[in-house]
Amino acid sequence: MDEEINRLNFENYIWILFAFLCLLNIRGDNDDINYIKTNKKNIKMNLIEYLSLL
């Protein structure tokens, strides 16, 4: 019984991590779109700095 509860809790953590990574991906895509539209160098540098934190 405890093993099943632990497994379910672990699955919940995995889903939370997956959702967080999806949100990061969406934000990154939006930043890329913004960079492509504006072609501003400072946006590209911010993207590089942001990705280096990961």
Side-chain angles (χ1 to χ4, degrees):
M1 185 169 153
D2 286 337
E3 286 182 23
E4 180 131 2
I5 291 172
N6 288 337
R7 182 184 61 82
L8 292 171
N9 284 334
F10 179 73
E11 284 182 15
N12 288 340
Y13 292 130
I14 295 295
W15 281 114
I16 291 169
L17 178 63
F18 178 73
F20 178 71
L21 292 175
C22 288
L23 291 174
L24 285 178
N25 185 40
I26 291 169
R27 178 177 177 191
D29 289 347
N30 287 337
D31 288 342
D32 282 342
I33 291 168
N34 190 20
Y35 170 72
I36 291 168
K37 285 181 179 178
T38 61
N39 200 19
K40 293 183 181 175
K41 295 292 182 186
N42 62 343
I43 293 174
K44 188 67 170 181
M45 292 305 296
N46 288 344
L47 290 174
I48 292 170
E49 290 173 9
Y50 176 71
L51 291 175
S52 69
L53 296 175
L54 301 175

Coordinates of all heavy atoms in Angstrom, one line a residue:
M1 N 0.8 -1.2 0.0 CA 0.0 0.0 0.0 C 0.9 1.3 0.0 O 0.6 2.2 -0.7 CB -0.9 0.0 1.2 CG -1.9 1.1 1.3 SD -3.1 0.8 2.5 CE -3.6 2.4 2.9
D2 N 1.9 1.3 0.8 CA 2.8 2.4 0.9 C 3.5 2.6 -0.4 O 3.8 3.7 -0.9 CB 3.8 2.3 2.0 CG 3.2 2.5 3.4 OD1 2.1 3.2 3.4 OD2 3.7 2.0 4.4
E3 N 3.9 1.5 -1.1 CA 4.6 1.6 -2.3 C 3.7 2.3 -3.4 O 4.2 3.1 -4.2 CB 5.0 0.2 -2.8 CG 6.2 -0.3 -2.1 CD 6.6 -1.7 -2.6 OE1 6.4 -2.0 -3.8 OE2 7.3 -2.4 -1.9
E4 N 2.5 1.9 -3.4 CA 1.5 2.5 -4.4 C 1.3 4.0 -4.1 O 1.3 4.8 -5.1 CB 0.2 1.8 -4.3 CG -0.8 2.4 -5.3 CD -1.5 1.3 -6.2 OE1 -1.2 0.1 -6.0 OE2 -2.2 1.7 -7.0
I5 N 1.2 4.4 -2.9 CA 1.1 5.8 -2.5 C 2.4 6.6 -3.0 O 2.3 7.6 -3.5 CB 0.8 6.0 -1.0 CG1 -0.6 5.4 -0.7 CG2 0.9 7.4 -0.6 CD1 -0.9 5.4 0.7
N6 N 3.5 6.0 -2.7 CA 4.8 6.6 -3.1 C 4.9 6.7 -4.6 O 5.4 7.7 -5.1 CB 6.0 5.8 -2.5 CG 6.1 6.0 -1.0 OD1 5.7 7.0 -0.5 ND2 6.8 5.0 -0.4
R7 N 4.5 5.7 -5.3 CA 4.5 5.7 -6.8 C 3.6 6.9 -7.3 O 4.0 7.6 -8.2 CB 4.1 4.4 -7.4 CG 4.1 4.4 -8.9 CD 3.6 3.1 -9.4 NE 2.2 2.8 -9.1 CZ 1.2 3.3 -9.8 NH1 1.4 4.1 -10.8 NH2 0.0 3.0 -9.4
L8 N 2.4 7.0 -6.7 CA 1.5 8.0 -7.2 C 2.0 9.4 -6.8 O 1.9 10.3 -7.6 CB 0.1 7.8 -6.5 CG -0.6 6.5 -7.0 CD1 -1.9 6.3 -6.2 CD2 -1.0 6.7 -8.5
N9 N 2.6 9.6 -5.7 CA 3.2 10.9 -5.3 C 4.3 11.2 -6.3 O 4.5 12.3 -6.7 CB 3.7 10.8 -3.9 CG 2.6 11.0 -2.9 OD1 1.6 11.5 -3.2 ND2 2.8 10.4 -1.7
F10 N 5.2 10.2 -6.7 CA 6.2 10.4 -7.6 C 5.7 10.8 -9.0 O 6.2 11.7 -9.6 CB 7.1 9.1 -7.7 CG 8.2 9.3 -8.7 CD1 9.3 10.0 -8.4 CD2 8.2 8.6 -9.9 CE1 10.4 10.2 -9.3 CE2 9.2 8.7 -10.8 CZ 10.3 9.5 -10.5
E11 N 4.6 10.2 -9.4 CA 4.0 10.5 -10.7 C 3.5 12.0 -10.6 O 3.6 12.7 -11.6 CB 2.8 9.6 -11.0 CG 3.2 8.2 -11.5 CD 2.0 7.4 -11.8 OE1 0.9 7.9 -11.9 OE2 2.3 6.2 -12.0
N12 N 3.0 12.4 -9.5 CA 2.5 13.8 -9.4 C 3.7 14.8 -9.6 O 3.6 15.8 -10.2 CB 1.8 14.0 -8.1 CG 0.5 13.4 -8.0 OD1 -0.1 13.1 -9.0 ND2 0.0 13.2 -6.8
Y13 N 4.8 14.4 -9.0 CA 6.0 15.3 -9.1 C 6.5 15.3 -10.6 O 6.9 16.4 -11.1 CB 7.2 14.8 -8.2 CG 6.9 15.0 -6.7 CD1 7.0 14.0 -5.8 CD2 6.4 16.3 -6.2 CE1 6.8 14.2 -4.5 CE2 6.2 16.4 -4.9 CZ 6.4 15.4 -4.0 OH 6.1 15.6 -2.7
I14 N 6.4 14.2 -11.2 CA 6.8 14.1 -12.6 C 5.9 15.0 -13.5 O 6.4 15.7 -14.4 CB 6.8 12.7 -13.1 CG1 7.9 11.8 -12.4 CG2 7.0 12.6 -14.6 CD1 9.3 12.3 -12.7
W15 N 4.6 15.0 -13.2 CA 3.7 15.8 -14.0 C 3.9 17.3 -13.8 O 3.8 18.1 -14.7 CB 2.2 15.4 -13.7 CG 1.8 14.2 -14.4 CD1 1.4 13.0 -13.8 CD2 1.6 14.0 -15.8 NE1 1.1 12.1 -14.8 CE2 1.2 12.7 -16.0 CE3 1.8 14.8 -16.9 CZ2 0.9 12.2 -17.3 CZ3 1.5 14.3 -18.1 CH2 1.1 13.0 -18.3
I16 N 4.2 17.6 -12.5 CA 4.5 19.0 -12.2 C 5.8 19.5 -13.0 O 5.8 20.6 -13.5 CB 4.6 19.2 -10.7 CG1 3.3 19.1 -10.0 CG2 5.2 20.6 -10.4 CD1 3.3 19.0 -8.5
L17 N 6.8 18.6 -13.0 CA 8.0 19.0 -13.7 C 7.7 19.1 -15.2 O 8.2 20.0 -15.8 CB 9.1 17.9 -13.4 CG 10.4 18.1 -14.1 CD1 11.1 19.3 -13.7 CD2 11.3 16.8 -13.9
F18 N 7.0 18.2 -15.7 CA 6.6 18.2 -17.1 C 5.9 19.5 -17.5 O 6.2 20.2 -18.5 CB 5.8 17.0 -17.5 CG 5.3 17.0 -18.9 CD1 6.2 16.7 -19.9 CD2 4.0 17.2 -19.2 CE1 5.8 16.7 -21.3 CE2 3.6 17.2 -20.6 CZ 4.5 16.9 -21.6
A19 N 4.9 19.9 -16.7 CA 4.2 21.1 -16.9 C 5.1 22.4 -16.8 O 5.0 23.3 -17.7 CB 3.0 21.3 -15.9
F20 N 6.0 22.4 -15.9 CA 7.0 23.5 -15.8 C 7.9 23.6 -17.0 O 8.1 24.7 -17.5 CB 7.8 23.3 -14.5 CG 8.9 24.3 -14.3 CD1 8.5 25.6 -13.9 CD2 10.2 24.0 -14.5 CE1 9.5 26.6 -13.8 CE2 11.2 25.0 -14.3 CZ 10.8 26.3 -14.0
L21 N 8.3 22.4 -17.5 CA 9.2 22.4 -18.7 C 8.4 22.9 -19.9 O 8.9 23.6 -20.8 CB 9.8 21.1 -18.9 CG 10.8 20.6 -17.9 CD1 11.3 19.2 -18.1 CD2 12.0 21.6 -17.8
C22 N 7.1 22.5 -20.0 CA 6.3 23.0 -21.1 C 6.1 24.5 -21.1 O 6.2 25.1 -22.1 CB 4.9 22.3 -21.0 SG 4.9 20.6 -21.5
L23 N 5.9 25.0 -19.9 CA 5.8 26.5 -19.8 C 7.1 27.2 -20.2 O 7.1 28.2 -20.8 CB 5.4 26.9 -18.3 CG 4.0 26.5 -17.9 CD1 3.8 26.8 -16.4 CD2 3.0 27.2 -18.8
L24 N 8.2 26.6 -19.8 CA 9.5 27.2 -20.2 C 9.7 27.2 -21.7 O 10.2 28.1 -22.3 CB 10.7 26.5 -19.5 CG 10.9 26.7 -18.1 CD1 12.1 25.9 -17.6 CD2 11.2 28.2 -17.8
N25 N 9.2 26.1 -22.3 CA 9.3 25.9 -23.8 C 8.4 27.0 -24.5 O 8.8 27.6 -25.4 CB 8.9 24.5 -24.2 CG 9.1 24.3 -25.7 OD1 10.1 24.8 -26.2 ND2 8.1 23.6 -26.3
I26 N 7.2 27.2 -23.9 CA 6.3 28.2 -24.5 C 6.9 29.6 -24.4 O 6.9 30.4 -25.3 CB 4.9 28.1 -23.8 CG1 4.2 26.8 -24.2 CG2 4.1 29.3 -24.2 CD1 3.0 26.5 -23.4
R27 N 7.5 29.9 -23.2 CA 8.1 31.2 -23.0 C 9.3 31.4 -24.0 O 9.4 32.4 -24.6 CB 8.6 31.4 -21.6 CG 9.3 32.7 -21.4 CD 9.7 33.0 -20.1 NE 10.4 34.3 -20.2 CZ 11.1 34.8 -19.2 NH1 11.2 34.2 -18.1 NH2 11.7 35.9 -19.4
G28 N 10.1 30.3 -24.2 CA 11.2 30.4 -25.1 C 10.7 30.6 -26.5 O 11.4 31.4 -27.3
D29 N 9.7 29.9 -26.9 CA 9.2 30.1 -28.3 C 8.6 31.5 -28.5 O 8.9 32.2 -29.5 CB 8.0 29.1 -28.5 CG 8.5 27.7 -28.7 OD1 9.7 27.5 -28.9 OD2 7.7 26.8 -28.7
N30 N 8.0 32.1 -27.5 CA 7.5 33.5 -27.5 C 8.6 34.5 -27.6 O 8.6 35.5 -28.4 CB 6.6 33.8 -26.4 CG 5.2 33.1 -26.5 OD1 4.8 32.7 -27.6 ND2 4.6 32.9 -25.4
D31 N 9.7 34.2 -26.9 CA 10.9 35.1 -27.0 C 11.5 35.0 -28.3 O 12.0 36.0 -28.9 CB 11.9 34.7 -25.9 CG 11.5 35.1 -24.5 OD1 10.5 35.9 -24.4 OD2 12.0 34.6 -23.5
D32 N 11.6 33.8 -28.9 CA 12.1 33.6 -30.3 C 11.3 34.4 -31.3 O 11.8 35.1 -32.2 CB 12.2 32.2 -30.7 CG 13.4 31.5 -30.1 OD1 14.3 32.1 -29.6 OD2 13.3 30.2 -30.0
I33 N 9.9 34.3 -31.2 CA 9.0 35.0 -32.1 C 9.3 36.5 -31.9 O 9.3 37.2 -32.9 CB 7.6 34.7 -31.8 CG1 7.3 33.2 -32.2 CG2 6.6 35.6 -32.5 CD1 6.0 32.7 -31.7
N34 N 9.4 37.0 -30.7 CA 9.6 38.4 -30.5 C 11.0 38.8 -31.1 O 11.0 39.9 -31.7 CB 9.6 38.7 -29.0 CG 9.6 40.2 -28.7 OD1 9.3 41.0 -29.5 ND2 10.0 40.5 -27.5
Y35 N 12.0 38.0 -31.0 CA 13.3 38.3 -31.5 C 13.2 38.4 -33.1 O 13.7 39.3 -33.7 CB 14.3 37.3 -31.1 CG 15.6 37.5 -31.9 CD1 16.5 38.5 -31.6 CD2 16.0 36.5 -32.8 CE1 17.6 38.7 -32.3 CE2 17.2 36.7 -33.5 CZ 18.0 37.7 -33.3 OH 19.1 37.9 -34.0
I36 N 12.5 37.4 -33.7 CA 12.4 37.4 -35.1 C 11.6 38.6 -35.6 O 12.0 39.2 -36.6 CB 11.7 36.1 -35.6 CG1 12.6 34.9 -35.3 CG2 11.3 36.1 -37.0 CD1 11.9 33.5 -35.4
K37 N 10.6 39.0 -34.9 CA 9.8 40.2 -35.3 C 10.5 41.5 -35.2 O 10.5 42.4 -36.1 CB 8.5 40.3 -34.5 CG 7.4 39.3 -34.9 CD 6.2 39.4 -34.1 CE 5.1 38.4 -34.5 NZ 3.9 38.6 -33.6
T38 N 11.3 41.6 -34.1 CA 11.9 42.9 -33.9 C 13.4 42.9 -34.3 O 13.9 44.0 -34.6 CB 11.9 43.3 -32.4 OG1 12.6 42.3 -31.6 CG2 10.5 43.4 -31.9
N39 N 14.0 41.8 -34.3 CA 15.5 41.7 -34.7 C 16.3 42.6 -33.8 O 17.3 43.2 -34.3 CB 15.7 42.0 -36.2 CG 17.0 41.4 -36.7 OD1 17.5 40.5 -36.1 ND2 17.4 41.9 -37.8
K40 N 16.0 42.6 -32.6 CA 16.8 43.4 -31.6 C 17.9 42.6 -31.0 O 17.6 41.5 -30.5 CB 15.9 44.1 -30.6 CG 15.0 45.1 -31.1 CD 14.2 45.7 -29.9 CE 13.2 46.7 -30.5 NZ 12.3 47.3 -29.4
K41 N 19.1 43.1 -31.0 CA 20.2 42.3 -30.4 C 20.1 42.1 -28.9 O 20.5 41.0 -28.4 CB 21.5 43.0 -30.7 CG 21.8 43.1 -32.2 CD 22.1 41.7 -32.7 CE 22.4 41.8 -34.2 NZ 22.6 40.5 -34.8
N42 N 19.5 43.1 -28.2 CA 19.4 42.9 -26.7 C 18.5 41.8 -26.3 O 18.7 41.1 -25.3 CB 19.1 44.2 -26.0 CG 17.7 44.7 -26.5 OD1 17.1 44.3 -27.5 ND2 17.1 45.6 -25.7
I43 N 17.5 41.5 -27.2 CA 16.6 40.4 -26.9 C 17.3 39.1 -27.0 O 17.2 38.2 -26.2 CB 15.3 40.5 -27.8 CG1 14.5 41.7 -27.5 CG2 14.5 39.2 -27.7 CD1 13.3 41.9 -28.4
K44 N 18.1 39.0 -28.0 CA 18.9 37.8 -28.3 C 19.9 37.5 -27.1 O 20.1 36.4 -26.6 CB 19.7 37.8 -29.6 CG 20.3 36.6 -30.0 CD 19.3 35.5 -30.3 CE 20.0 34.3 -30.9 NZ 19.0 33.3 -31.3
M45 N 20.5 38.6 -26.6 CA 21.4 38.5 -25.5 C 20.7 38.1 -24.2 O 21.2 37.2 -23.4 CB 22.2 39.8 -25.2 CG 23.2 40.2 -26.3 SD 24.4 38.9 -26.7 CE 25.2 38.8 -25.1
N46 N 19.5 38.6 -24.0 CA 18.7 38.2 -22.9 C 18.3 36.7 -23.0 O 18.3 36.0 -22.0 CB 17.4 39.0 -22.8 CG 17.6 40.4 -22.3 OD1 18.7 40.7 -21.8 ND2 16.7 41.3 -22.6
L47 N 18.0 36.2 -24.2 CA 17.7 34.8 -24.4 C 18.9 33.9 -24.0 O 18.8 32.9 -23.4 CB 17.3 34.5 -25.8 CG 15.9 35.1 -26.2 CD1 15.7 34.8 -27.8 CD2 14.8 34.4 -25.5
I48 N 20.1 34.4 -24.5 CA 21.3 33.6 -24.2 C 21.5 33.5 -22.7 O 21.9 32.5 -22.1 CB 22.5 34.2 -25.0 CG1 22.3 33.9 -26.5 CG2 23.8 33.5 -24.5 CD1 23.2 34.7 -27.3
E49 N 21.4 34.7 -22.0 CA 21.6 34.7 -20.6 C 20.6 33.9 -19.8 O 20.9 33.2 -18.9 CB 21.5 36.2 -20.1 CG 22.7 37.0 -20.5 CD 22.5 38.5 -20.1 OE1 21.5 38.8 -19.4 OE2 23.3 39.3 -20.5
Y50 N 19.3 33.9 -20.3 CA 18.2 33.1 -19.7 C 18.5 31.7 -19.8 O 18.4 30.9 -18.9 CB 16.9 33.5 -20.3 CG 15.7 32.7 -19.9 CD1 15.2 32.9 -18.6 CD2 15.1 31.8 -20.7 CE1 14.1 32.2 -18.2 CE2 14.0 31.1 -20.3 CZ 13.5 31.3 -19.0 OH 12.5 30.6 -18.6
L51 N 18.9 31.2 -21.0 CA 19.2 29.8 -21.3 C 20.4 29.3 -20.5 O 20.5 28.2 -20.2 CB 19.3 29.6 -22.8 CG 18.0 29.7 -23.6 CD1 18.3 29.5 -25.0 CD2 17.0 28.7 -23.1
S52 N 21.4 30.2 -20.3 CA 22.6 29.8 -19.6 C 22.3 29.5 -18.1 O 23.0 28.8 -17.5 CB 23.7 30.9 -19.7 OG 23.3 32.0 -19.0
L53 N 21.2 30.0 -17.6 CA 20.8 29.8 -16.2 C 20.2 28.3 -16.1 O 20.3 27.8 -15.0 CB 19.7 30.7 -15.7 CG 20.1 32.2 -15.7 CD1 18.9 33.1 -15.3 CD2 21.2 32.4 -14.6
L54 N 19.7 27.8 -17.2 CA 19.2 26.4 -17.1 C 20.4 25.5 -17.2 O 20.6 24.5 -16.7 CB 18.2 26.1 -18.3 CG 17.0 27.1 -18.3 CD1 16.2 26.8 -19.6 CD2 16.2 26.9 -17.1

